[in-house]
């Protein structure tokens, strides 16, 4: 039988989750859910012009990409 590795030898480095990036992800997702053309919650209640809807969706996608890009940091 082989020997088992000691717990100290195979430990992975700790990661830190950035709270700011979590809030950026939530804000981007809210923009998309509220203002998506033809499917958004506010867009179904109010009639918003497409220039506001599409710019909010693009801004929400940019915020999602930025948030997921810096979410985890190694210690």
């Amino acid at each position: 039988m082989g020997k088992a590795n000691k717990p100290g030898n195979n430990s992975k480095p700790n990661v830190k989750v950035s709270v700011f990036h979590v809030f950026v992800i939530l804000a981007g997702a809210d923009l998309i859910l509220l203002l998506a053309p033809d499917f958004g919650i506010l867009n179904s209640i109010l009639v918003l012009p497409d220039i506001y809807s599409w710019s909010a969706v693009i801004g929400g996608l940019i915020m999602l990409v930025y948030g997921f890009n810096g979410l985890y940091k190694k210690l």
Side-chain angles (χ1 to χ4, degrees):
M1 275 205 154
K3 293 183 179 179
N5 290 339
K6 294 181 182 178
N9 291 344
N10 57 1
S11 64
K12 295 180 181 178
N14 295 335
V15 293
K16 181 180 176 184
V17 176
S18 174
V19 177
F20 172 73
H21 287 282
V22 171
F23 286 136
V24 170
I25 291 169
L26 288 175
D30 284 341
L31 274 177
I32 293 171
L33 286 174
L34 288 175
L35 298 173
D38 298 331
F39 297 107
I41 296 169
L42 279 180
N43 215 357
S44 65
I45 296 170
L46 305 171
V47 179
L48 297 175
D50 284 341
I51 189 76
Y52 297 126
S53 298
W54 284 110
S55 61
V57 169
I58 292 170
L61 287 173
I62 290 171
M63 290 173 75
L64 282 175
V65 169
Y66 175 72
F68 280 118
N69 192 16
L71 184 60
Y72 297 112
K73 297 178 183 177
K74 293 183 181 179
L75 293 177

